[in-house]
Amino acid sequence: MARKALKLASWTSMALAASGIYLYSNKYLDPNDFGAVRVGRAVATTAVISYDYLTSLRSVPYGSEEYVQLRSKVHLRSARRLCELCCANRGTFIKVGQHLGALDYLLPEEYTSTLKVLHSQAPQSSMQEIHDLFMSFDDTPLGAASLAQVHKAVLRDGRTVAVKVQHPKVQAQSSKDILLMEVLVLAVKQLFPEFEFMWLVDEAKKNLPLELDFLNEGRNAEKVAQMLKHFDFLKVPRIYWELSTKRVLLMEFVDGGQVNDRDYMERNKIDVNEISRHLGKMYSEMIFVNGFVHCDPHPGNVLVRKHPGTGKAEIILLDHGLYQVLTEEFRLDYCHLWQSLIWTDMKRVQEYSQRLGAGDLYPLFACMLTARSWDSVNRGISQAPVTATEDTEIRNNAANYLPQISQLLNHVPRQMLLIFKTNDLLRGIEAALGTRASASSFLNMSRCCIRALAKHKKKNTCSFLRRTQISCSEAFSLWQISLHELMLRVKGLRLPSWAVALLCWLFPAPH
């Protein structure tokens, strides 16, 4: 009897093993889809990273040159392990890794530079099941992201479309992955009390379900297109609702080069400075005036081209899954804060930073927001562009002040977290284009702040006289900014010094 049972068990094991090998070799079965494999891999990676930090830095004096060099090596090893984990577990892990990789001036450079590759190493899925809907369908994706990939196709009526298709199993795995991340973050916090990254889990919990609903993305696209319709340089692809679902989104196909591709712009005679100005205007309008902000402006989601009809430069805004809706109170405080930073009113910088949750860490908050040193903030961020030395200093400080930064991120309003990410992504584009922190970009921000604050004041008064006063004050402030912008251009000309001094005296900078 025992021999028969053993024989049966052997044959059963062989059959299961053969079935597993067959399914795996034919791509029907992927070990990455098993919860135990994903959990085990995440737990093991977290344990190895924690052990590395605990043991490698223990015997070295804190703050010494040796400590800084060794910490950089540990950061790099840990970032590579984290990147490997994200690539192996895919889906939600890649999405969170991309978020971390975008925080250039908030996390150590070893992490951001390593995790940036996740934007180009997203998984690809087979699209065989939807081929029959189209006259032709290009199997090679135009782009593959953490949650979906995009293909070019032609409908049976001849229209060329972009088809965004969600990866299989992402929806089912996402909630379990977030729960796993939450447990691991809490476990790490027990070992490192200064490690406060629960904000990252909270953001993933809130935003991931919205990003996985492609109908929500379509509605966001139509809303922002309507909201910014007065910008003739902006193109938002049209949504084809009749064939769209929660997991498949059909859009008008629009081609262009990535916004950080200077070579493409030079080949197509597109003015880099003009694109940078347009991008600044667009985002200032979203943040300060409308409070509805596209929060994933990495280069793959922002394309540029010359309009086929007019020949004018055009920005194409893609991927509308992640938007931050700002409350009116937050938006107005943020307007006041940026006005104070631009015109170097340090008392109000402190006041509005603290209103936004920075507390006593308001100098760090101002530096994080502007990606400038505290010395530059005090001298005036619009007075001089950022230097390579200052940029290096800011990046190094991200490692030195990591506990304070994580504490701050845990205390500011949740709306601020995606704004930080958006700011850093936009700064990355400006750095690639060589237009970082230009005076004109700050003046455009200031214009939007003035308009937003005036609109709020007019909305809250019934007096015709008071509304007229507000409108006149708004017009005068905008006129002052235009004069100041003119003065900056005049200073760039080779005029005699006495002529520049006279013009500066006649038309001082606005406050």
Side-chain angles (χ1 to χ4, degrees):
M1 189 71 178
R3 187 177 294 174
K4 282 185 178 179
L6 183 60
K7 194 173 183 180
L8 180 62
S10 300
W11 279 107
T12 304
S13 300
M14 287 173 65
L16 288 171
S19 301
I21 291 167
Y22 173 78
L23 290 170
Y24 179 72
S25 62
N26 286 278
K27 298 186 178 177
Y28 295 122
L29 183 69
D30 186 344
N32 290 310
D33 295 333
F34 288 113
V37 173
R38 298 165 67 80
V39 171
R41 188 187 288 126
V43 170
T45 302
T46 304
V48 170
I49 290 174
S50 300
Y51 182 78
D52 198 359
Y53 276 104
L54 281 171
T55 57
S56 298
L57 301 173
R58 188 165 49 192
S59 58
V60 184
Y62 178 80
S64 65
E65 189 175 338
E66 185 187 358
Y67 179 90
V68 172
Q69 290 175 353
L70 189 57
R71 183 184 61 187
S72 177
K73 290 177 182 176
V74 177
H75 281 336
L76 187 58
R77 285 199 300 269
S78 301
R80 286 172 177 164
R81 288 169 182 141
L82 188 58
C83 187
E84 287 169 9
L85 170 65
C86 293
C87 289
N89 275 11
R90 302 178 303 193
T92 309
F93 281 83
I94 287 183
K95 190 71 186 173
V96 172
Q98 287 173 342
H99 190 145
L100 291 172
L103 301 176
D104 268 312
Y105 297 89
L106 306 183
L107 294 179
E109 189 178 6
E110 294 86 353
Y111 277 93
T112 56
S113 59
T114 302
L115 294 174
K116 266 184 173 46
V117 302
L118 293 174
H119 282 295
S120 58
Q121 289 190 4
Q124 296 183 13
S125 305
S126 169
M127 295 293 117
Q128 194 62 44
E129 66 270 20
I130 64 169
H131 273 218
D132 296 340
L133 296 171
F134 305 96
M135 188 163 68
S136 70
F137 188 94
D138 191 346
D139 281 314
T140 305
L142 296 168
S146 54
L147 306 180
Q149 60 193 48
V150 179
H151 294 259
K152 185 178 179 180
V154 179
L155 294 174
R156 297 196 178 278
D157 60 9
R159 286 177 294 174
T160 302
V161 294
V163 187
K164 182 173 181 177
V165 188
Q166 197 173 110
H167 293 308
K169 304 183 182 72
V170 167
Q171 185 88 45
Q173 291 170 345
S174 61
S175 56
K176 298 167 193 165
D177 286 346
I178 291 172
L179 178 61
L180 172 59
M181 288 179 196
E182 185 171 12
V183 171
L184 292 175
V185 167
L186 288 170
V188 171
K189 187 169 169 55
Q190 297 302 310
L191 291 172
F192 306 97
E194 71 279 6
F195 180 90
E196 298 204 29
F197 271 76
M198 190 51 70
W199 57 270
L200 187 63
V201 177
D202 292 339
E203 283 301 291
K205 269 186 191 175
K206 184 186 75 171
N207 295 318
L208 204 58
L210 297 174
E211 289 190 80
L212 289 169
D213 181 357
F214 289 175
L215 296 179
N216 176 66
E217 178 175 344
R219 289 189 290 270
N220 286 342
E222 290 192 340
K223 181 174 178 177
V224 82
Q226 178 64 24
M227 194 175 78
L228 302 179
K229 64 182 180 182
H230 55 288
F231 288 146
D232 60 358
F233 58 79
L234 175 63
K235 172 69 177 174
V236 177
R238 180 185 166 196
I239 305 297
Y240 296 122
W241 290 107
E242 64 272 20
L243 289 171
S244 294
T245 69
K246 282 194 169 191
R247 290 191 61 241
V248 179
L249 186 66
L250 263 71
M251 301 159 279
E252 172 188 5
F253 177 78
V254 187
D255 203 7
Q258 291 195 356
V259 72
N260 63 345
D261 189 346
R262 285 184 68 105
D263 291 339
Y264 173 88
M265 294 192 208
E266 287 170 9
R267 286 196 308 273
N268 290 274
K269 296 182 172 57
I270 296 172
D271 185 351
V272 168
N273 291 303
E274 183 185 13
I275 290 295
S276 186
R277 282 195 302 273
H278 286 342
L279 200 58
K281 282 181 186 176
M282 190 171 82
Y283 267 88
S284 292
E285 191 86 9
M286 281 193 231
I287 293 170
F288 299 115
V289 179
N290 295 291
F292 186 67
V293 190
H294 180 287
C295 286
D296 203 10
H298 71 77
N301 290 339
V302 186
L303 307 182
V304 293
R305 68 168 184 175
K306 278 210 165 179
H307 190 281
T310 64
K312 290 183 178 179
E314 195 171 51
I315 292 176
I316 304 158
L317 192 61
L318 306 174
D319 196 346
H320 300 271
L322 184 59
Y323 272 75
Q324 179 66 67
V325 179
L326 308 179
T327 64
E328 186 168 68
E329 181 185 8
F330 176 93
R331 182 173 58 83
L332 296 173
D333 284 342
Y334 196 63
C335 280
H336 281 298
L337 176 57
W338 265 106
Q339 283 284 73
S340 308
L341 286 164
I342 290 167
W343 303 113
T344 326
D345 184 342
M346 299 312 296
K347 186 176 179 182
R348 285 163 69 85
V349 167
Q350 179 178 353
E351 177 189 347
Y352 286 103
S353 294
Q354 290 178 336
R355 280 175 66 96
L356 288 167
D360 293 336
L361 292 173
Y362 74 89
L364 178 61
F365 182 68
C367 294
M368 289 164 61
L369 200 57
T370 59
R372 302 294 297 270
S373 67
W374 182 236
D375 185 50
S376 291
V377 171
N378 276 286
R379 282 189 285 111
I381 56 173
S382 59
Q383 298 305 307
V386 65
T387 63
T389 305
E390 184 183 358
D391 192 63
T392 304
E393 178 191 341
I394 289 290
R395 290 177 184 276
N396 289 339
N397 283 342
N400 296 331
Y401 292 99
L402 187 57
Q404 291 89 336
I405 289 172
S406 64
Q407 179 189 340
L408 192 54
L409 292 175
N410 223 36
H411 286 90
V412 295
R414 300 294 93 179
Q415 301 161 81
M416 182 58 76
L417 300 176
L418 284 179
I419 295 293
F420 273 132
K421 176 194 171 186
T422 304
N423 285 349
D424 278 353
L425 285 168
L426 291 172
R427 271 192 280 266
I429 292 170
E430 288 178 342
L433 297 179
T435 58
R436 170 94 192 274
S438 64
S440 63
S441 68
F442 288 125
L443 294 176
N444 282 326
M445 287 173 69
S446 194
R447 283 190 180 97
C448 283
C449 290
I450 288 167
R451 285 172 44 223
L453 294 169
K455 183 180 177 182
H456 173 71
K457 288 175 186 174
K458 282 188 277 189
K459 190 176 80 173
N460 287 297
T461 184
C462 298
S463 164
F464 175 76
L465 179 61
R466 177 64 183 141
R467 289 168 69 89
T468 305
Q469 286 176 329
I470 294 166
S471 295
C472 290
S473 175
E474 176 189 5
F476 181 69
S477 296
L478 293 173
W479 176 74
Q480 279 188 304
I481 287 175
S482 296
L483 275 179
H484 185 60
E485 191 169 32
L486 177 63
M487 282 304 309
L488 291 173
R489 289 177 184 173
V490 167
K491 283 182 181 179
L493 302 174
R494 296 182 180 277
L495 293 178
S497 57
W498 64 267
V500 174
L502 177 63
L503 288 168
C504 288
W505 179 75
L506 288 172
F507 305 110
H511 293 282

